[in-house]
Amino acid sequence: MKRMKRISFWNLWLVSIMGGILVGTIWANLLGGELLKQIGYFDGIFQTGKGLDRDARRQLWGYVVRQRLCEAGFGGLLAMTPVAAPGYLVLSFGTGMAIALVIAVFTLEKGWMGLGYWLGAVLPHGLCYGAVWLIFVAAIKERQDLRKIRIWLLTGILVMGGCVLEVWVNPWIVEMFF
C-alpha cells in the first residue's frame, strides 16, 4: 500500500487563498453588474486623504491605528490557539474572496484601470500588513511560540509602519497617480 504524502501547510495556505479568489471571482460574476454597483462606489477611497485638514487626518490616524492593532491582536491571539492552522486557512480563504470581490467592483467601475486603482488602494501599506500576516502564518507552520517579545515588537513596528503609510503616504500617492 502506497503512503500518501502530506500536503505542506504552505501549499494548503496557497490553495486556500487561491480558492478564495476563485470563489470570490465566480461570486462577483454571479452577482451581476447592477448589484456590484450597489455594493459601493470606491472612489471615496481615493478621496479620503485629499482635502483633509490636520484634525481630520489625526482622527483618521486614530481610527486606522485602533482598527489595525485590533486586527493584528486578533490574528496573533488566533495564532496561539490550538485551532490556529484551520483558522488561518479559513481567514485566508475569506481574504481571497474579499480581494476578488473588490477587484471585480474596481474593474466594473474603471475597466482595466480598476486593477491600477486596486493596487493604489492597497500599496504600499498592504506590504506591511501582509508581512505581519506571513509572520503569523510562518509561526503557525513552524509551531513557534508567539509569546516571544521580539515577534510582537516586530509585528507592532510593521503595523504602525503600515498605519503611517496608509494615513499619511498612500493618499499622497493616490493623489499623484490617480
Side-chain angles (χ1 to χ4, degrees):
M1 180 183 233
K2 283 187 177 181
R3 247 182 147 185
M4 290 184 62
K5 289 186 177 181
R6 268 187 91 184
I7 299 174
S8 74
F9 181 73
W10 287 112
N11 288 338
L12 282 174
W13 181 69
L14 184 62
V15 166
S16 178
I17 289 177
M18 291 304 181
I21 290 172
L22 178 67
V23 170
T25 302
I26 292 169
W27 186 30
N29 286 318
L30 291 176
L31 287 176
E34 189 60 37
L35 189 57
L36 285 176
K37 284 184 181 180
Q38 291 176 2
I39 287 175
Y41 193 74
F42 284 96
D43 270 350
I45 290 174
F46 298 106
Q47 296 171 1
T48 302
K50 295 178 184 177
L52 288 181
D53 62 354
R54 197 167 198 85
D55 290 333
R57 197 169 295 246
R58 280 192 198 133
Q59 287 180 344
L60 178 63
W61 165 257
Y63 171 77
V64 168
V65 167
R66 279 190 305 275
Q67 184 74 25
R68 301 303 178 245
L69 286 176
C70 287
E71 291 167 358
F74 172 76
L77 291 175
L78 177 63
M80 292 191 288
T81 65
V83 294
Y88 264 80
L89 292 177
V90 168
L91 284 176
S92 297
F93 185 83
T95 301
M97 282 183 62
I99 288 170
L101 189 62
V102 171
I103 289 175
V105 171
F106 273 128
T107 55
L108 178 70
E109 292 181 3
K110 303 293 183 186
W112 284 103
M113 284 300 295
L115 295 174
Y117 276 81
W118 178 76
L119 285 173
V122 298
L123 291 177
H125 60 278
L127 297 173
C128 292
Y129 302 143
V132 170
W133 186 266
L134 286 175
I135 287 170
F136 289 148
V137 170
I140 292 168
K141 193 256 183 218
E142 298 296 327
R143 293 183 175 87
Q144 293 291 320
D145 188 11
L146 284 175
R147 289 179 283 174
K148 295 179 181 171
I149 191 73
R150 65 177 178 234
I151 292 175
W152 286 103
L153 185 61
L154 176 61
T155 57
I157 289 170
L158 285 169
V159 168
M160 293 307 287
C163 290
V164 167
L165 290 172
E166 187 173 359
V167 173
W168 301 100
V169 176
N170 194 47
W172 174 75
I173 290 173
V174 168
E175 187 175 333
M176 181 189 294
F177 292 107
F178 300 104

